Amino acid sequence: MNVGGVMVAGDALSPRALVDHVRRLEALGYDSAWITDVFGREIYVTAGHLLAHTDRIKVASGIAHIYGRDPIASRQAGLTLSELSGGRFIQGLGVSHPVAAEMRGVAWENPVTKMRDYVLAMRGETPIHTPRDAPYVPIYIAAHGPKMMGVAAEVADGANTYMQPPSHTAESRATLGPDKALNVVLPC
C-alpha cells in the first residue's frame, strides 16, 4: 500500500535516529522519505546512507538547492544513488534563496532561467559514464509560482509545492498538466 511520502528534517536527528526514523516510515508503508538540504549534512551523502540502511522505501533529495553543486555533479549523484539502490532515488531540486548562492560566492540569477538551464544541462549530453542499464532518475522541481511550475511542466517529471492553500494546488495542477506528478507538501 502506497501511503505517500514524508519530508524528514534529518539534520535535527543523530545518524542512528535518522536511520531508525526512515526505517519506521518504511515499515509503515510510506513510499518515500524526502530529506531536506539546509546547512547541515550533505544531502546526497545522507541519501546514500539512508538507501544503504533501508530495503524498499525511496529516498529523495527534498529539496537539493542548485547553487550547492553544478548540474553535472547533481546528475552524477542522482545516477549513482539510483544505480546503487536499484532505482530507489528521487532527485528533488530547488533554487533556494539568494543567501544560499551568496554563501558560496555565486551570484543570484533569475530563478526560472537558472532552473530551466540547470535541468536541461543535467538531462543533456554530459561526459558521464554510467552503466547502460542505470535506473532512470526522476526529477522534481520545487515550484510555487506559475513560471517555475511551467519549468517543471517543460523539463521535469513533476513538482513539489510547500505550504500552499488548496486553490494553489488546483492552479499548479492546471499549469503542470495531467501527466506530471504533483507533490503537495504540508506540515503535520
Side-chain angles (χ1 to χ4, degrees):
M1 176 173 91
N2 177 339
V3 290
V6 174
M7 183 76 65
V8 177
D11 289 346
L13 301 172
S14 71
R16 178 82 249 150
L18 177 58
V19 168
D20 289 347
H21 181 61
V22 173
R23 282 182 175 162
R24 187 169 35 258
L25 295 174
E26 183 175 56
L28 290 170
Y30 283 92
D31 178 64
S32 56
W34 293 70
I35 55 173
T36 56
D37 186 15
V38 188
F39 299 113
R41 295 186 184 107
E42 204 288 325
I43 194 166
Y44 294 121
V45 174
T46 304
H49 182 69
L50 293 172
L51 288 163
H53 287 88
T54 56
D55 299 313
R56 182 188 37 75
I57 195 167
K58 295 175 185 169
V59 175
S61 55
I63 296 293
H65 63 88
I66 62 175
Y67 284 94
R69 54 208 58 83
D70 68 48
I72 293 174
S74 287
R75 182 167 183 217
Q76 285 177 298
L79 287 169
T80 301
L81 290 168
S82 187
E83 177 194 4
L84 297 177
S85 69
R88 292 190 298 127
F89 181 70
I90 301 168
Q91 200 152 31
L93 302 170
V95 293
S96 192
H97 304 283
V99 172
E102 292 167 11
M103 284 179 59
R104 290 174 164 76
V106 180
W108 179 253
E109 300 174 37
N110 175 294
V112 172
T113 302
K114 174 78 173 174
M115 181 59 78
R116 179 182 289 112
D117 291 348
Y118 193 94
V119 175
L120 288 174
M122 285 180 69
R123 293 220 161 140
E125 292 299 317
T126 58
I128 297 173
H129 302 283
T130 60
R132 293 180 195 265
D133 60 348
Y136 180 76
V137 181
I139 296 175
Y140 292 82
I141 294 176
H144 293 113
K147 290 179 183 177
M148 192 63 77
M149 195 60 68
V151 172
E154 178 187 345
V155 301
D157 297 285
N160 289 10
T161 62
Y162 185 69
M163 293 181 58
Q164 300 296 316
S167 60
H168 183 273
T169 300
E171 293 165 9
S172 296
R173 172 49 66 206
T175 302
L176 196 56
D179 299 327
K180 304 281 181 159
L182 177 61
N183 298 317
V184 179
V185 182
L186 297 170
C188 58

